[in-house]
């Protein structure tokens, strides 16, 4: 029988836990998110920005709920620069790729890591800056946003909510 341990358990047993990062052990957990009403003319390439995260944060859960939005069959969740940094896309589908909103989700549904470009299981303990492939934490904020690749013409509410472990 194999007994395996995470790095945080190994550190706790050998070093008193003092070298474990806050985003993994006893870091502050906070919630973020909101609801945006999609209008019928909100369609392809539109971007809905929901909340901000620090580059040092780790998103532990990402949930979406939505009205049935006929034609909204390809949407992504990812990262954009904040407005004061230019607002450009950083990685539009890093959190979830290729979601369909055509069927209603009355209860929030976990979507973190879905699709081909989402966060892999092996990377889910990493921080935002690591997910983005950076070599060091830039100490900045990003907007978490939903991007419509195929937006359709239906109107209705879309909620995006997350649980986030602070990296500070």
């Amino acid at each position: 029988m194999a007994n395996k341990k995470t790095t945080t358990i190994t550190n706790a047993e050998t070093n008193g836990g003092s070298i474990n990062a806050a985003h993994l052990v006893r870091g502050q957990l906070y919630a973020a998110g909101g609801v945006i009403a999609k209008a019928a003319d909100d369609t392809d390439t539109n971007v809905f920005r929901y909340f901000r995260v620090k580059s040092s944060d780790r998103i532990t859960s990402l949930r979406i709920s939505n009205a049935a939005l006929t034609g909204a069959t390809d949407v992504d969740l990812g990262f954009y620069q904040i407005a004061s940094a230019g607002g450009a896309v950083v990685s539009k589908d890093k959190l979830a790729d290729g979601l369909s909103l055509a069927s209603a989700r009355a209860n929030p549904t976990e979507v973190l890591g879905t699709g081909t470009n989402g966060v892999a299981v092996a990377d889910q303990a990493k921080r935002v800056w690591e997910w983005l492939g950076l070599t060091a934490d830039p100490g900045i904020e990003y907007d978490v946003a939903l991007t419509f690749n195929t937006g359709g013409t239906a109107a209705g509410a879309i909620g995006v909510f997350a649980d986030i472990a602070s990296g500070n």
Side-chain angles (χ1 to χ4, degrees):
M1 179 172 115
N3 288 309
K4 297 184 178 184
K5 301 174 185 177
T6 63
T7 302
T8 57
I9 294 295
T10 301
N11 288 344
E13 291 178 350
T14 58
N15 301 310
S18 62
I19 64 169
N20 284 322
H23 76 282
L24 293 174
V25 177
R26 294 190 178 101
Q28 180 182 7
L29 187 65
Y30 68 96
V35 176
I36 297 176
K38 179 189 178 298
D41 61 353
D42 288 330
T43 188
D44 301 0
T45 72
N46 283 27
V47 176
F48 290 3
R49 295 169 189 258
Y50 281 89
F51 56 90
R52 290 207 170 135
V53 294
K54 293 180 181 177
S55 53
S56 61
D57 289 344
R58 179 173 67 95
I59 299 174
T60 62
S61 178
L62 183 66
R63 299 167 308 283
I64 190 168
S65 57
N66 57 277
L69 299 171
T70 306
T73 57
D74 184 3
V75 301
D76 300 327
L77 283 163
F79 299 103
Y80 282 73
Q81 293 175 341
I82 63 173
S84 62
V89 64
V90 176
S91 179
K92 76 174 188 147
D93 55 5
K94 186 61 185 176
L95 299 171
D97 180 33
L99 298 173
S100 175
L101 305 182
S103 297
R105 291 178 181 89
N107 296 315
T109 303
E110 183 65 43
V111 295
L112 180 63
T114 58
T116 57
N117 295 322
V119 177
V121 173
D123 294 331
Q124 289 181 3
K126 293 182 178 180
R127 294 163 285 197
V128 169
W129 68 269
E130 294 169 303
W131 285 349
L132 295 175
L134 303 175
T135 56
D137 182 0
I140 61 175
E141 290 184 312
Y142 295 101
D143 286 341
V144 171
L146 182 143
T147 303
F148 291 94
N149 298 311
T150 307
T153 58
I158 305 166
V160 175
F161 298 91
D163 294 330
I164 301 159
S166 176
N168 294 339

